[in-house]
Amino acid sequence: MEVKHAMEGELKLLIIENDFAKCALFPEHGAHVAEFAPTGKENILWLSESSCFEGDKPIRGGIPICWPWFGAHPADSDKPSHGFARIAKWTLDEIEELDSGDTSVVMSLSGSPASLELWPHQFKLTSRVVIGETLTLELTTHNTGDEPFEITEALHTYFNVADVTKISIAGLEKKNYIDTIDDNKTKTQNGPVTFNSEVDRVYCDTQAECVISDPNMNREIRVSKKGSASTVVWNPWIAKSARMADFGDEEYKGMVCVETTNALNDARTVAPGASHSISAKIALST
Ligand code: BG6
């Protein structure tokens, strides 16, 4: 295993290479995984060329950790979109080479006066990333306070695709979804998910693996998960891309988000002293 340290803008970057893959992370900025490329293969994750790399801003691409709320805060839209974990300063706890040759990286975030202002609960959040032939990210929420709390969250994974209009996503067939760009109507997925306009959907009641088929890249990306019964699929398409400062106008063509979530009615309550884990495993099948 080789471990390198570098800077990207204001942020500390950790680059790990082992027998199976290369992975780049911003451990102290949101415990953010930015790149994952199995040896000899192209990067599976997408990262915007317009992304900010500043201490108080989210990174556009990779795997932002959305926590303790997904999307806009339910009662106060002045609070950060997708919670504060992705812009918080985390601690890098451990880098360990496992017997398998995989590398495990553990990062954590605890409640602070700043977090209490945004969210009045004591917690410890741990992210464990295992880098091997596959990438596994497990996010565990510990309730260290004396009252139960509720969270929504996402492993907001951006994937690199050759041409979003040519891909399809299998695994969500016949599932109901909330269409957030059509008045939050409930609809039912007919066949695989394909893209020819903006897509922003929360698929409900699904623990299924999703398979992104990308014929132009000649690859399939498999996203399996635990601790999650909802999946978000997002592509901003033309108008929304143009509105986002940290997203190139044409970049929507080369990305798709398939997010492992606890969103909407899949919110989880964590009792005092208890914990909840959500995890995603990303693998190439070709
Ligand atoms: C997705 C949401 O998860 O994240 C979209 O479903 C949102 O509605 C997108 O636009 C990006 O959010 P942000 O806060 O990173 O711009």
Side-chain angles (χ1 to χ4, degrees):
M1 164 181 73
E2 195 182 348
V3 179
K4 287 189 208 145
H5 298 272
M7 293 298 289
E8 177 79 57
E10 295 176 358
L11 309 177
K12 284 188 200 164
L13 185 67
L14 175 70
I15 303 157
I16 305 230
E17 265 189 272
N18 59 26
D19 289 346
F20 307 111
K22 177 182 176 202
C23 181
L25 312 87
F26 295 95
E28 293 182 8
H29 185 70
H32 192 112
V33 177
E35 178 186 341
F36 173 67
T39 306
K41 310 271 187 200
E42 285 179 59
N43 189 8
I44 294 179
L45 302 178
W46 177 86
L47 185 62
S48 171
E49 291 188 359
S50 302
S51 180
C52 301
F53 296 100
E54 294 166 27
D56 57 351
K57 298 216 170 71
I59 292 167
R60 178 68 68 196
I63 314 183
I65 292 176
C66 304
W67 187 97
W69 59 86
F70 174 77
H73 186 278
D76 182 354
S77 59
D78 286 341
K79 290 190 175 172
S81 162
H82 286 319
F84 54 83
R86 66 178 176 164
I87 46 173
K89 190 164 187 334
W90 290 56
T91 306
L92 171 59
D93 295 329
E94 186 182 74
I95 303 173
E96 187 192 359
E97 185 163 29
L98 307 178
D99 291 344
S100 58
D102 291 1
T103 307
S104 153
V105 182
V106 178
M107 296 149 287
S108 62
L109 175 71
S110 294
S112 65
S115 76
L116 285 168
E117 273 185 30
L118 291 165
W119 194 66
H121 304 287
Q122 291 292 353
F123 68 90
K124 182 167 183 197
L125 193 57
T126 307
S127 175
R128 181 168 191 248
V129 175
V130 178
I131 303 151
E133 250 178 81
T134 61
L135 179 76
T136 307
L137 200 161
E138 182 179 43
L139 182 70
T140 303
T141 302
H142 306 269
N143 183 341
T144 56
D146 44 24
E147 299 283 337
F149 58 62
E150 190 180 89
I151 52 167
T152 54
E153 60 184 336
L155 308 176
H156 190 309
T157 313
Y158 289 79
F159 292 100
N160 239 328
V161 297
D163 177 350
V164 75
T165 65
K166 302 286 189 298
I167 68 164
S168 61
I169 302 175
L172 299 169
E173 295 83 355
K174 300 197 176 107
K175 289 291 169 192
N176 284 343
Y177 65 87
I178 307 299
D179 191 343
T180 69
I181 55 171
D182 188 11
D183 268 344
N184 290 325
K185 284 184 192 147
T186 301
K187 302 180 179 176
T188 304
Q189 180 63 39
N190 183 10
V193 186
T194 54
F195 300 82
N196 52 28
S197 60
E198 183 180 354
V199 168
D200 196 349
R201 302 175 181 169
V202 183
Y203 286 86
C204 307
D205 195 19
T206 174
Q207 301 178 41
E209 177 182 68
C210 287
V211 181
I212 306 169
S213 296
D214 186 344
N216 291 13
M217 273 193 161
N218 196 23
R219 73 180 183 188
E220 275 181 5
I221 302 169
R222 310 184 85 86
V223 189
S224 54
K225 59 182 189 162
K226 290 183 186 153
S228 156
S230 50
T231 296
V232 170
V233 177
W234 180 57
N235 181 289
W237 214 252
I238 298 165
K240 193 163 182 177
S241 299
R243 289 199 298 274
M244 290 187 287
D246 60 350
F247 200 112
D249 288 357
E250 301 290 321
E251 285 188 312
Y252 73 92
K253 292 176 186 162
M255 56 73 65
V256 70
C257 286
V258 177
E259 306 170 34
T260 297
T261 63
N262 294 130
L264 301 181
N265 63 359
D266 188 28
R268 303 297 168 113
T269 299
V270 187
S275 62
H276 167 66
S277 293
I278 183 171
S279 68
K281 182 169 150 188
I282 296 162
L284 277 185
S285 54
T286 50

